[in-house]
């Protein structure tokens, strides 16, 4: 897949800017992937919980099968208030579960 | 115990008095201008001359004589509201007042003199100073509320549909975070009976492990902290605010929210010192914000939006330092906050200049700017280098310390991430630089009337400040490190 | 807005998260009584008796007077923000709209009753403000009651014919005076304690002098700003008056802007 990654991005970004736009999209794609990789290593190395480790691995596998991730990230970060409220509700529950359940 | 320092409240009260006065003198432009400039000099002057210490409001002293019935866990408590002023507060206050001064001068220079608008700038200055100084958790909450409303007002004053929307969303989520902070404070007050942060942290340590009530309070306060500092679930809202305010005001807003981040994180760490899970959670949210912020910044084709996402991701980088939890990491985080607000302010002032000169900030339409304004282009290049951590500029010193701190804390992977992120920031901003200043084929008209001498002077002063801190980092860093060690978090 | 299955799933997740969060928080509040201790509030109750009879006012304006200053400023900021929403002081400038005529006539009973009721409300509000240190009430509720009186007349008679005719300038002046009373009383405490004691305390109650540090009374004249009243509550009534003026002006200002904007839609 890596050998024709530029073509994939070119295809995906037809309606948007070319050239520099694709360059920056590729940069962010590699940034996302390296972040996920480093994050998984970090979780596997430091977290004592098996569930968390498995969870991180599953998420990593899931994301790796759905590259390119950049467009999904962009779609999840629009100005819409629905998305923000969804994530806020999720965060509130997550914080309470983490602090009270103590993963 | 520290001495009572008389001048501390003036840092909050004088901006409030001046805000009331300029609001009263609205439409009398000359008086508003005069009062604003005079009071700015005073505001910068006060933090410099104030002595370190605490201020006991209403003169209520520390007391040790109270009956058993009150069930307070520690032998001595502060009766009233207390502000404390140390090295970190001094540095933050000086940077805050100077940058506020620059923003106000830019506003005055653009003939946008409106007493009401100026009043809002002063009130937001007072509120953020109070948040930095407060040693009382309820007083802190009161001023965060003022800050949220004042910032929303600064965005609303632009009077465009987008700015109304952004401010409205900011206020809606502000109610959520305000409610959660207040509930957290109420739970702490109920179970420990105290509001003073120093006393509260001692009482919580004396009380042993946190109760379930205390844990819920931690969760609620953390949610409030995420909002105030614009981290992960709230990063869109924060970047919307930066994007839709006037750029020279965005330069001010990002300073305020980064300093509030620092102040509130210090409060959380002092109150719940020794609670390790909090640090991991903060680290998680911080890393996530940093990555999402830079990924989004790379995608933008509008200068102001790009800069607002960079500002958000840099706030995440400050929070990474706090998430590491070691004194070294926290000091590096605070140091990065100070460095970052300076270089970010340069970029926002440049955005304001571009907006005035070319009447747009859309990167596709801009181009060939270097022939029109070579100085601004050069400073933007330097600021790009500064913000992405290239020596000899200041962010290099703080990012280097962040990487070192992460290695010391046993998570060297984070060091790699910080390097990757500075690369991403560099790519994002250098792209904007190329498209504004070097790309052939400009589609915009140059407004010949806008000379922007003041903006040019401001950005040159700020880049020199960046260079100065980069060359002599210990001047700023050592007091911060000593302060953080003395807090013992 | 169309709701896809994808979004439906999200709504369910968000709903479940909110249910979890509210369950945890409500359960915490339910258990809270087992952990509750008196703490600081016991101390405040213990010591406030020697300042003024109304304990709540003493806590509000003396022990935590500076917080009350902040709360007053929340109101001021909110009022100014509302005026900015309607264009006053915004960067695009304010276009004065013509005051709209009343479209719907109010009934005879309303017109007959509103003015006496408004007078009663204003008088009642003034009582609440001035009696804040001895009886329940104070600046916030008193100012709100007075503003209610104004709002009543404005709604019934319209902005042009209302008997309580405040101009915009007048309300801004009132609010400024109220805020300055509060702020400068605090500065007076700071200056007086610095002068007589060496170190200053903002909002120090110079009238009561609870810690006996300024001793102004010993020189033959009365303490600075002692409210002439048998209970000697010091600066508290002045602060109440300041807050009262501020709240009254702020709420009336919002009412005025809302009435002016009525015809826009």
């Amino acid at each position: 897949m890596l050998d024709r990654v530029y073509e994939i991005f070119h295809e995906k970004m037809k309606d948007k800017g070319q050239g520099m736009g694709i360059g920056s999209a590729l940069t962010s794609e590699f940034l996302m992937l390296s972040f996920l990789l480093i994050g998984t290593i970090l979780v596997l190395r430091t977290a004592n919980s098996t569930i968390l480790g498995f969870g991180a691995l599953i998420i990593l596998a899931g994301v790796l099968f759905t590259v390119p991730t950049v467009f999904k990230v962009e779609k999840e970060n629009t100005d819409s208030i629905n998305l923000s409220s969804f994530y806020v509700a999720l965060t509130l529950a997550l914080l309470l579960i983490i602090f009270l359940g103590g993963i | 115990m520290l001495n009572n320092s008389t001048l501390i409240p003036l840092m909050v009260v004088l901006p409030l008095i001046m805000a009331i006065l300029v609001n009263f003198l609205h439409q009398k432009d000359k008086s508003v201008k005069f009062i604003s400039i005079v009071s700015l000099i005073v505001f910068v002057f006060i933090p410099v001359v104030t002595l370190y210490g605490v201020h006991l409001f209403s003169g209520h002293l520390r007391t040790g004589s109270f009956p058993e019935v009150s069930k307070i866990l520690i032998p001595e408590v502060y009766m009233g509201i207390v502000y404390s002023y140390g090295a970190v507060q001094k540095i933050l206050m000086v940077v805050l007042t100077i940058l506020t001064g620059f923003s106000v001068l830019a506003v005055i220079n653009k003939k946008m003199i409106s007493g009401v608008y100026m009043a809002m700038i002063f009130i937001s200055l007072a509120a953020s100073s109070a948040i930095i100084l407060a040693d009382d958790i309820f007083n802190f909450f009161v001023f965060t509320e003022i800050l949220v409303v004042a910032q929303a007002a600064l965005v609303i004053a632009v009077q465009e549909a987008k700015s109304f929307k952004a401010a409205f969303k900011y206020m809606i989520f502000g109610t959520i975070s305000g409610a959660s902070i207040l509930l957290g404070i109420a739970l702490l007050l109920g179970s420990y009976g105290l509001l003073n942060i120093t006393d509260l942290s001692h009482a919580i340590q004396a009380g042993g492990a946190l109760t379930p009530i205390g844990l819920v309070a931690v969760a609620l306060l953390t949610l409030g902290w995420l909002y105030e500092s614009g981290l992960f679930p709230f990063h869109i809202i924060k970047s919307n605010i930066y994007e839709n305010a006037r750029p020279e005001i965005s330069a001010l807003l990002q300073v305020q929210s980064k300093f509030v981040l620092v102040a509130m994180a210090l409060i959380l760490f002092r109150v719940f010192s020794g609670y390790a899970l909090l640090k991991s959670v903060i680290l998680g949210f911080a890393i996530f914000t940093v990555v999402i912020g830079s990924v989004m910044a790379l995608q933008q084709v509008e200068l102001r939006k790009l800069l607002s996402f960079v500002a958000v991701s840099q706030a995440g980088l400050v929070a990474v330092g706090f998430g590491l939890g070691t004194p070294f990491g926290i000091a590096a985080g605070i140091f990065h906050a100070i460095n970052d607000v300076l270089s970010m302010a340069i970029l926002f002032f440049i955005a304001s200049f571009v907006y005035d000169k070319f009447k747009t900030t859309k990167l596709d339409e801009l181009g060939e700017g270097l022939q029109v304004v070579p100085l601004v282009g050069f400073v933007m290049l330097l600021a790009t280098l500064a913000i992405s951590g290239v020596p000899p500029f200041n962010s290099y010193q703080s990012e280097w310390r962040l990487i070192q701190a992460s290695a010391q804390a046993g998570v060297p992977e984070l060091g790699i991430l910080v390097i990757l992120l500075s690369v991403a920031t560099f790519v994002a901003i250098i792209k904007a630089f190329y498209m504004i200043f070097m790309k052939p084929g400009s589609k915009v008209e140059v407004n010949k009337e806008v000379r922007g001498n003041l903006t040019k002077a401001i950005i040159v002063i700020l880049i020199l400040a960046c260079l100065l801190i980069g060359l002599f980092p210990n001047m700023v860093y050592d007091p911060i490190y000593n302060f953080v060690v003395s807090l013992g978090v | 807005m169309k709701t896809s299955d994808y979004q439906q799933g999200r709504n369910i997740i968000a709903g479940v998260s909110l249910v979890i969060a509210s369950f945890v928080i409500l359960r915490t509040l339910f258990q809270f009584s087992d952990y509750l201790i008196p703490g600081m509030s016991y101390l405040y109750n213990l010591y406030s008796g020697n300042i003024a009879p109304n304990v709540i006012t003493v806590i509000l304006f003396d022990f935590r007077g500076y917080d009350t200053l902040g709360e007053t400023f929340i109101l001021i900021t909110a009022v100014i923000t509302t005026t900015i929403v309607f264009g006053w002081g915004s960067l695009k400038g304010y276009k004065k709209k013509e005051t709209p005529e009343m479209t719907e006539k109010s009934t005879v009973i309303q017109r007959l009753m509103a003015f006496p009721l408004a007078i009663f409300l204003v008088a009642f509000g003034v009582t609440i403000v001035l009696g804040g240190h001895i009886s329940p009430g104070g600046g916030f509720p008193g100012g709100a009651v007075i503003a209610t009186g104004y709002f009543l007349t404005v709604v019934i008679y319209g902005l042009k014919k209302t008997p309580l005719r405040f101009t915009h300038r007048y309300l801004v002046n009132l609010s400024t005076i109220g805020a300055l009373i509060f702020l400068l009383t605090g500065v007076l405490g700071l200056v007086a304690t610095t002068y007589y004691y060496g170190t200053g305390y903002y909002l120090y109650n110079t009238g009561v002098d609870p810690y006996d540090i300024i001793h102004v009374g010993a020189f033959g004249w009365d303490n600075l700003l002692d409210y002439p009243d048998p209970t000697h509550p010091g600066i508290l009534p002045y602060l109440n008056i300041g807050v009262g003026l501020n709240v009254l002006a702020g709420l009336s200002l919002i009412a005025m802007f809302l009435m002016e904007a009525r015809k826009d839609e």
Side-chain angles (χ1 to χ4, degrees):
Chain A
M1 183 211 130
L2 269 179
D3 49 339
R4 40 183 209 88
V5 66
Y6 188 83
E7 279 75 31
I8 295 175
F9 271 81
H10 197 275
E11 194 69 18
K12 285 254 183 190
M13 296 187 67
K14 252 181 187 164
D15 48 339
K16 287 198 199 158
Q18 299 283 326
M20 283 209 103
I22 296 178
S24 49
L26 271 175
T27 316
S28 41
E29 178 68 38
F30 287 126
L31 184 69
M32 275 307 285
L33 291 184
S34 42
F35 156 66
L36 284 165
L37 208 61
I38 291 172
T40 318
I41 292 172
L42 199 64
V43 169
L44 284 179
R45 205 170 61 78
T46 54
N48 294 321
S49 127
T50 330
I51 306 170
L52 213 61
F54 268 110
L57 275 181
I58 290 168
I59 291 176
L60 179 68
V63 171
L64 283 183
F65 276 107
T66 58
V67 278
T69 52
V70 185
F71 306 108
K72 293 193 185 65
V73 172
E74 210 182 346
K75 221 170 94 187
E76 290 300 305
N77 285 283
T78 52
D79 293 352
S80 144
I81 196 167
N82 292 5
L83 282 168
S84 296
S85 348
F86 170 69
Y87 283 116
V88 171
L90 212 60
T91 309
L92 180 58
L94 200 70
L95 282 173
L96 286 169
I97 291 171
I98 288 177
F99 284 125
L100 282 174
I103 286 183
Chain B
M1 176 168 163
L2 290 159
N3 289 324
N4 188 57
S5 169
T6 306
L7 292 180
I8 292 174
L10 292 186
M11 281 183 257
V12 180
V13 172
L14 273 189
L16 289 180
I17 293 178
M18 292 309 169
I20 289 293
L21 282 183
V22 288
N23 180 42
F24 176 67
L25 293 171
H26 179 62
Q27 290 174 329
K28 296 189 177 62
D29 289 356
K30 268 190 185 158
S31 340
V32 169
K33 195 172 161 182
F34 177 73
I35 288 186
S36 310
I37 290 174
V38 170
S39 49
L40 280 173
I41 296 166
V42 179
F43 296 164
V44 177
F45 187 63
I46 293 174
V48 180
V49 296
T50 306
L51 302 174
Y52 291 163
V54 295
H55 188 86
L56 309 169
F57 280 91
S58 309
H60 293 298
L61 309 167
R62 201 170 163 79
T63 174
S65 59
F66 45 82
E68 281 290 304
V69 200
S70 64
K71 289 189 184 167
I72 292 174
L73 294 168
I74 48 173
E76 269 197 340
V77 292
Y78 283 113
M79 281 291 282
I81 299 165
V82 178
Y83 272 14
S84 68
Y85 190 62
V88 166
Q89 279 91 345
K90 186 171 192 168
I91 295 169
L92 294 183
M93 281 305 300
V94 169
V95 175
L96 177 70
T97 45
I98 289 178
L99 285 175
T100 311
F102 285 156
S103 290
V104 169
L105 285 180
V107 167
I108 289 176
N109 191 40
K110 287 190 181 131
K111 302 273 185 291
M112 297 191 299
I113 307 168
S114 145
V116 177
Y117 195 58
M118 213 61 90
M120 282 295 130
I121 297 179
F122 286 162
I123 287 181
S124 68
L125 168 69
S128 28
S129 324
I131 290 167
I132 291 170
L133 297 169
D135 196 29
D136 186 280
I137 200 161
F138 186 75
N139 195 267
F140 159 81
F141 164 75
V142 169
F143 280 97
T144 54
E145 289 302 292
I146 299 180
L147 184 64
V148 168
V149 182
Q151 287 183 338
L154 287 174
V155 180
I156 288 172
V158 179
Q159 294 272 318
E160 279 164 9
K162 273 180 82 184
S163 64
F164 275 123
K165 265 190 204 167
F168 186 55
K169 272 192 269 181
Y170 190 60
M171 299 263 256
I172 288 180
F173 287 100
T175 57
I176 296 175
S177 92
S180 73
I181 295 179
L182 190 55
L183 192 54
I185 292 173
L187 293 177
L188 286 180
L189 174 65
S191 40
Y192 295 97
L194 294 167
L195 284 172
N196 184 277
I197 291 165
T198 315
D199 291 345
L200 196 57
S201 90
H202 291 158
I204 289 178
Q205 273 167 9
L210 281 169
T211 56
I213 310 275
L215 292 173
V216 173
V218 180
L220 292 172
L221 287 173
T222 311
L223 187 78
W225 177 72
L226 292 176
Y227 171 81
E228 299 296 342
S229 41
L231 296 191
F232 164 61
F234 301 102
H235 58 300
I236 302 288
I237 294 147
K238 206 69 169 182
S239 68
N240 250 328
I241 283 286
Y242 295 155
E243 179 198 341
N244 287 307
R246 292 273 322 175
E248 59 273 358
I249 292 300
S250 310
L252 182 61
L253 296 181
Q254 55 98 15
V255 182
Q256 290 167 350
S257 38
K258 249 161 241 162
F259 285 178
V260 171
L261 184 161
V262 169
M264 192 166 173
L266 280 177
I267 290 175
L268 281 178
F269 278 23
R270 280 169 67 197
V271 173
F272 305 109
S273 59
Y275 184 53
L277 191 55
L278 176 66
K279 290 168 185 166
S280 321
V281 169
I282 284 180
L283 192 58
F285 277 103
I287 296 172
F288 211 66
T289 313
V290 170
V291 174
I292 300 274
S294 9
V295 167
M296 288 304 288
L298 280 164
Q299 307 298 312
Q300 302 308 323
V301 288
E302 215 259 309
L303 180 61
R304 285 194 282 167
K305 202 161 184 174
L306 190 152
L307 290 181
S308 41
F309 275 109
V310 171
V312 164
S313 86
Q314 293 290 328
L317 207 51
V318 175
V320 166
F322 280 96
L324 291 172
T326 55
F328 196 36
I330 296 175
I334 301 176
F335 190 34
H336 188 69
I338 291 161
N339 294 335
D340 181 60
V341 295
L342 291 173
S343 26
M344 215 51 230
I346 301 176
L347 291 171
F348 272 117
F349 275 116
I350 288 173
S352 130
F353 180 77
V354 169
Y355 187 63
D356 288 339
K357 188 95 184 167
F358 304 109
K359 290 279 171 235
T360 180
T361 45
K362 287 194 180 112
L363 294 178
D364 295 339
E365 295 171 11
L366 291 161
E368 292 173 348
L370 213 51
Q371 293 158 11
V372 187
V373 277
L375 177 72
V376 178
F378 180 63
V379 175
M380 181 164 179
L381 185 64
L382 291 184
T384 314
L385 295 177
I387 203 167
S388 41
V390 175
F393 289 105
N394 51 359
S395 285
Y396 159 71
Q397 299 286 353
S398 51
E399 286 187 14
W400 176 66
R401 281 175 172 79
L402 272 177
I403 295 168
Q404 220 177 10
S406 55
Q408 270 188 9
V411 278
E413 292 92 337
L414 278 182
I416 307 171
L417 209 60
V418 172
I419 295 171
L420 278 175
L421 292 164
S422 42
V423 172
T425 313
F426 180 75
V427 173
I429 304 182
I430 207 77
K431 178 183 117 184
F433 170 75
Y434 169 80
M435 290 178 98
I436 298 169
F437 289 107
M438 298 178 76
K439 187 183 66 178
S442 151
K443 293 174 198 160
V444 290
E445 273 182 38
V446 181
N447 188 347
K448 286 249 161 54
E449 283 173 16
V450 177
R451 302 186 57 82
N453 286 336
L454 184 80
T455 315
K456 283 177 192 162
I458 289 172
I459 57 179
V460 169
I461 291 173
L462 285 175
I463 196 79
L464 287 179
C466 286
L467 196 63
L468 190 72
I469 295 179
L471 292 176
F472 307 102
N474 289 17
M475 190 174 63
V476 179
Y477 177 73
D478 284 352
I480 296 175
Y481 184 70
N482 293 335
F483 180 85
V484 172
V485 170
S486 75
L487 284 182
V489 288
Chain C
M1 194 191 301
K2 62 173 192 273
T3 317
S4 61
D5 291 348
Y6 182 60
Q7 258 191 349
Q8 273 304 354
R10 290 202 163 200
N11 288 347
I12 291 168
I13 295 174
V16 171
S17 318
L18 286 178
V19 167
I20 292 174
S22 23
F23 173 73
V24 171
I25 290 171
L26 287 177
R27 193 165 155 275
T28 313
L29 291 179
F30 183 68
Q31 294 173 337
F32 199 25
S33 55
D34 303 341
Y35 295 89
L36 212 55
I37 66 165
M40 216 63 213
S41 119
Y42 186 85
L43 262 69
Y44 286 160
N45 277 311
L46 199 65
Y47 290 118
S48 58
N50 43 19
I51 297 177
N54 185 356
V55 173
I56 293 174
T57 305
V58 175
I59 294 175
L60 204 61
F61 285 97
D62 197 286
F63 287 107
R64 311 208 58 94
Y66 187 65
D67 278 347
T68 310
L69 175 65
E71 277 143 25
T72 318
F73 265 86
I74 292 182
L75 188 83
I76 295 175
T77 319
V79 169
I80 299 179
T81 309
T82 316
T83 61
I84 292 179
V85 169
F86 289 111
W88 173 259
S90 71
L91 297 180
K92 288 201 170 158
Y94 179 67
K95 287 181 220 78
K96 180 92 179 91
K97 294 182 203 90
E98 216 173 289
T99 313
E101 284 292 319
M102 292 296 289
T103 42
E104 292 161 30
K105 284 262 183 268
S106 32
T107 63
V108 180
I109 297 179
Q110 284 171 339
R111 269 176 287 158
L112 199 64
M113 289 305 292
F115 186 47
L117 209 57
I119 293 177
F120 172 72
L121 278 172
V122 170
F124 183 49
V126 171
T127 323
I128 295 179
V129 173
L130 293 182
H133 55 291
I134 38 175
S135 61
F140 285 103
V145 168
I146 300 176
T148 318
Y150 173 69
F151 202 29
L152 185 69
T153 59
V154 170
V155 167
I156 302 290
Y157 302 108
L159 263 183
K160 269 185 178 170
K161 290 179 185 165
T162 167
L164 290 177
R165 199 167 303 152
F166 298 151
T167 60
H168 181 240
R169 192 73 248 171
Y170 177 74
L171 288 177
V172 171
N173 293 355
L174 218 55
S175 148
T176 308
I177 292 169
L180 282 183
I181 287 177
F182 206 133
L183 285 164
L184 295 180
T185 312
V187 174
L188 179 80
L190 191 74
V191 172
T193 41
T194 316
Y195 183 72
Y196 289 106
Y197 187 60
T199 178
Y201 300 118
Y202 189 75
L203 271 176
Y204 184 73
N205 196 336
T206 47
V208 175
D209 198 6
Y211 294 95
D212 244 354
I213 59 176
I214 57 175
H215 303 301
V216 189
F219 292 97
W221 66 80
D222 220 3
N223 280 350
L224 296 166
L225 283 192
D226 190 12
Y227 191 67
D229 166 296
T231 57
H232 288 289
I235 58 168
L236 303 192
Y238 297 110
L239 299 183
N240 259 329
I241 293 169
V243 172
L245 287 178
N246 207 336
V247 171
L248 138 76
L251 295 182
S252 306
L253 208 55
I254 290 181
M256 179 181 278
F257 270 97
L258 288 176
M259 285 302 289
E260 278 178 3
R262 246 169 71 109
K263 232 184 174 180
D264 263 17
E265 77 279 270

